[in-house]
Amino acid sequence: MTKFESSVKHILASQAAVFGKLSDLSNLENVKDRLPQDKVKSFSFDSDSLTVEVDPVGKITLQIVEKEPFKCIKFATTTSPLPFNLWIQLLPVTETECKMKLTIGMELNMFMKAMVQKPLEEGVEKLADMLAMIPY
């Protein structure tokens, strides 16, 4: 399994508040306007799944498969050109601050890894930046 990790993001909100917001995907309405319009063709979601269509990748659907209250939210793809998992990990700093890190894990052969490594590293970092900026 190949893993791609974001840098650790500092969020000025409690671990519980961030977990509560991110573990219910219907809260994503206020991030739609932050998506890069030149790359994202469509974006839809309900409480436990989201679907995004991105150039040049295509359609990706992520489903929440596990929640560990206040610490971790795990997603798996149900539709994707390359199946992968995504983990959002949260750690408390104080009662009003926490840290977040995103990890993408996928099975890749050496050829595919060479092709997708840079876009995935950039993508997981941009996603982490976007999630860190949401008002919690």
Side-chain angles (χ1 to χ4, degrees):
M1 168 100 43
T2 303
K3 291 185 177 178
F4 301 94
E5 297 181 341
S6 72
S7 58
V8 174
K9 305 297 177 187
H10 196 88
I11 300 175
L12 295 173
S14 72
Q15 182 185 17
V18 175
F19 180 87
K21 186 114 181 191
L22 297 180
S23 64
D24 178 355
L25 299 179
S26 58
N27 290 320
L28 293 178
E29 187 63 44
N30 60 355
V31 300
K32 274 185 153 179
D33 58 345
R34 297 173 189 240
L35 297 172
Q37 301 303 318
D38 58 328
K39 297 215 183 341
V40 177
K41 285 186 178 175
S42 66
F43 181 71
S44 60
F45 52 87
D46 58 28
S47 63
D48 65 354
S49 70
L50 69 89
T51 300
V52 63
E53 194 169 347
V54 185
D55 275 340
V57 178
K59 187 180 273 190
I60 298 171
T61 300
L62 284 164
Q63 178 96 28
I64 294 176
V65 292
E66 187 181 330
K67 297 178 194 177
E68 187 179 339
F70 312 129
K71 294 180 184 172
C72 187
I73 307 164
K74 294 182 180 179
F75 298 82
T77 53
T78 57
T79 307
S80 176
L82 286 172
F84 65 91
N85 295 318
L86 169 70
W87 299 272
I88 300 175
Q89 296 163 286
L90 301 169
L91 286 171
V93 175
T94 67
E95 287 187 15
T96 58
E97 298 174 36
C98 68
K99 291 192 258 185
M100 175 187 69
K101 181 172 82 170
L102 305 187
T103 304
I104 290 177
M106 60 180 11
E107 297 294 337
L108 292 171
N109 62 38
M110 294 305 285
F111 177 73
M112 287 302 294
K113 184 175 179 180
M115 283 179 41
V116 303
Q117 184 163 356
K118 188 167 174 39
L120 276 172
E121 287 170 349
E122 291 173 359
V124 74
E125 194 64 30
K126 285 179 183 164
L127 181 58
D129 286 340
M130 187 178 73
L131 293 177
M133 290 188 283
I134 295 173
Y136 294 97

